[in-house]
Amino acid sequence: MQVPAPIEYERATSVEHAIGLLTRLGDEARLIAGGHSLLPMMKLRLANPEYLIDINDLHGQLSYIDIGATRVRIGAMTRHRELLESVALAEVCPIFRDAERVIADPPVRNRGTLGGALCQADPSEDLSSVCTTLDASCVIRGRDGERVVSMDDFHRGPYETAVRHDEMLIEVRIPMRPHGSSAYAKVDRRAGDWAVAAAGAALWLDEHGTIADARVGLAAVGPNTTGIPAISEALRGRAPGEDAWTEAAAIAEAACRPVTDSRGSADYKRHLAGELTRRTLRTAWERVVAWR
Amino acid sequence: MEVTLSVNGEPVTRDVEARLLLVHFLRDELGLTGTHWGCDTSNCGSCVVLYDDEPVKSCTVLTAMAGGHDVRTVEDLEQDEVLDPVQQGFMECHGLQCGFCTPGMLMSARALLDRDPDPSEDVIREAISGQICRCTGYASIVRSVRWAAVHPEGRSEA
Ligand SMILES: Cc1cc2nc3c(=O)[nH]c(=O)nc-3n(C[C@H](O)[C@H](O)[C@H](O)COP(=O)(O)OP(=O)(O)OC[C@H]3O[C@@H](n4cnc5c(N)ncnc54)[C@H](O)[C@@H]3O)c2cc1C
Ligand code: FES
Ligand code: FES
């Protein structure tokens, strides 16, 4: 039976309190949000913090989905289930509902949080790709105030983010642009499993129906593929359609670096990266057109 | 550390290690062995309990985190010697064989019916998708939950 090593536990009563505890306790302290990445790692002794600072009492304060004309703000403690069930969020960013439907399973989604998912930065984790695709930025708070970093700067690589040990992710901000939509698609072996491969796409059209901008992010196919900037460059100014999606798919296949494991061979995952890029771009475009 | 939480409607206070998982607290400290524990990877769902009325994997929550919250286990389904409709449904429709997954399945089913009294088969399948049954092939579990939906008063002919 696997159980975590002995720990000290304290509940944060405010963001300031949490940051104060992190500062005072140093490297050996970790925040625990949903705990659905951290506790499994502690059972495996892959993570061995001495102190856990429980931030679940901040759920009331840090779980919100605030949809404005120019941006969407989502609190770091917003749980997967809240993201899945928000009709208003699905209207402006359908990629969230697409992704949340296939992230883990209902009991896990009742606990896991947006902030925990992004800070875990697991290479197979879905929301980092979603947020990168949406060109989101992250609000990080520390002793000396807040800083805002883009997802590209936030997500440093597998299990590594821009959040320092005495800082906390507070909020994710997503810019809203007109005539855009988004989609996510994932292939998994069975319900609730991590992705064999997954892709997210967002697309914006100009007034002539040409692609003003497009973004694609991948999950589970190698480090640093949560965004594929070359696809944006190739698609800007193009006419939407199968030729454009095929070119984007080829770029995704070339850019990813999957490894063979129990979920599938590298070749299969590479094929999926391309095919899912094609499908999500197509869906995002169909959604923009359906809206107009 | 001292933790106070509500279990099946009763407040309980215990001195526990901060690292103690809720599933072990329920089973070993309180003797509520209806909640099962089947894996170390948060995958099997046999440990599912209701946590503030929603299904949660009790192997992936610290007892300390549950302080101040409401936990409901399978032991609380039967009231005054009357089975909950979901329990009756599992009996009527052979929703279990070995019974290992059953407590978690029952709790997820109860939470589902509390929100959605008439769920479709697809909705039921989604609700139990975080839980593994190695015996039934799920079809009879889905039928059992449907039985409970159709018979919200449980067994009538008794
Ligand atoms: C069975 C199972 C299946 C899963 N399947 C998927 C899947 O298909 N796709 C997927 O994307 N994920 C999946 N997950 C992961 C799940 O979504 C986790 O809940 C999520 O990744 C982490 O969120 P959490 O709130 O539980 O984080 P925690 O485990 O609490 O924390 C994770 C890390 O982030 C840090 N942290 C948490 N919040 C903050 C904050 N606000 N500021 C700074 N640091 C913070 C913690 O210190 C810790 O290091 C699965 C998990 C399980 C158990
Ligand atoms: S014991 Fe397997 S998910 Fe909790
Ligand atoms: S009845 Fe045996 S595991 Fe479900």
Side-chain angles (χ1 to χ4, degrees), chain B residues 50 53-55 77 84-87 89-90 105-120 123-124 127 141-154:
Chain B
L50 301 191
D53 300 326
E54 294 300 343
L77 285 181
D84 186 283
V86 295
Q87 293 174 304
F90 273 63
M105 293 289 182
L106 291 171
M107 297 319 280
S108 279
R110 183 68 268 152
L112 171 65
L113 292 176
D114 286 345
R115 295 183 128 224
D116 176 359
D118 190 24
S120 67
V123 169
I124 296 169
I141 296 180
V142 175
R143 276 198 295 275
S144 303
V145 181
R146 276 302 309 160
W147 189 97
V150 174
H151 300 87
E153 307 302 331

Side-chain angles (χ1 to χ4, degrees), chain A residues 5-253:
Chain A
I7 40 162
E8 303 267 334
Y9 169 94
E10 191 151 356
R11 284 189 185 196
T13 53
S14 67
V15 171
E16 293 65 34
H17 184 214
I19 292 166
L21 287 169
L22 286 171
T23 309
R24 183 158 60 77
L25 297 169
D27 275 359
E28 301 301 333
R30 285 280 271 281
L31 298 177
I32 184 162
H36 275 58
S37 290
L38 186 52
L39 286 171
M41 294 222 307
M42 287 170 63
K43 292 190 210 175
L44 291 168
R45 309 285 168 111
L46 290 171
N48 295 295
E50 280 176 25
Y51 304 93
L52 281 188
I53 301 164
D54 184 352
I55 54 175
N56 281 283
D57 286 352
L58 309 185
H59 177 256
Q61 184 187 341
L62 289 183
S63 85
Y64 51 85
I65 300 171
D66 174 32
I67 296 170
T70 57
R71 71 176 179 195
V72 174
R73 297 163 51 242
I74 310 180
M77 283 300 292
T78 308
R79 299 198 196 271
H80 289 303
R81 179 182 185 161
E82 294 166 323
L83 294 169
L84 174 63
E85 292 184 349
S86 169
V87 175
L89 182 63
E91 257 167 39
V92 292
C93 301
I95 188 173
F96 269 105
R97 181 181 285 174
D98 291 350
E100 286 293 356
R101 278 197 172 125
V102 290
I103 290 177
D105 56 56
V108 172
R109 293 198 293 260
N110 278 335
R111 297 296 297 163
T113 64
L114 171 63
L118 296 187
C119 291
Q120 182 69 16
D122 186 301
S124 300
E125 190 273 308
D126 294 289
L127 290 181
S128 297
S129 308
V130 167
C131 290
T132 307
T133 298
L134 292 173
D135 202 11
S137 37
C138 295
V139 181
I140 301 172
R141 195 176 300 168
R143 261 173 308 167
D144 308 321
E146 274 180 8
R147 58 200 178 100
V148 181
V149 299
S150 71
M151 270 306 292
D152 290 334
D153 293 330
F154 180 86
H155 188 92
R156 295 258 165 92
Y159 309 106
E160 208 189 323
T161 72
V163 182
R164 290 192 290 263
H165 87 265
D166 55 354
E167 292 183 321
M168 185 171 158
L169 175 63
I170 301 296
E171 181 179 288
V172 173
R173 289 182 186 160
I174 298 157
M176 286 286 106
R177 293 188 260 169
H179 311 308
S181 194
S182 55
Y184 198 77
K186 164 170 159 177
V187 169
D188 50 15
R189 293 175 306 174
R190 53 182 162 73
D193 196 17
W194 296 87
V196 176
L203 191 83
W204 297 269
L205 301 183
D206 65 18
E207 61 274 26
H208 312 295
T210 305
I211 300 173
D213 199 4
R215 297 176 63 91
V216 168
L218 305 175
V221 288
N224 308 318
T225 56
T226 54
I228 309 287
I231 293 182
S232 309
E233 281 155 39
L235 292 188
R236 275 184 215 122
R238 292 273 298 263
E242 291 306 317
D243 287 352
W245 317 149
T246 298
E247 186 178 330
I251 296 172
E253 284 191 30

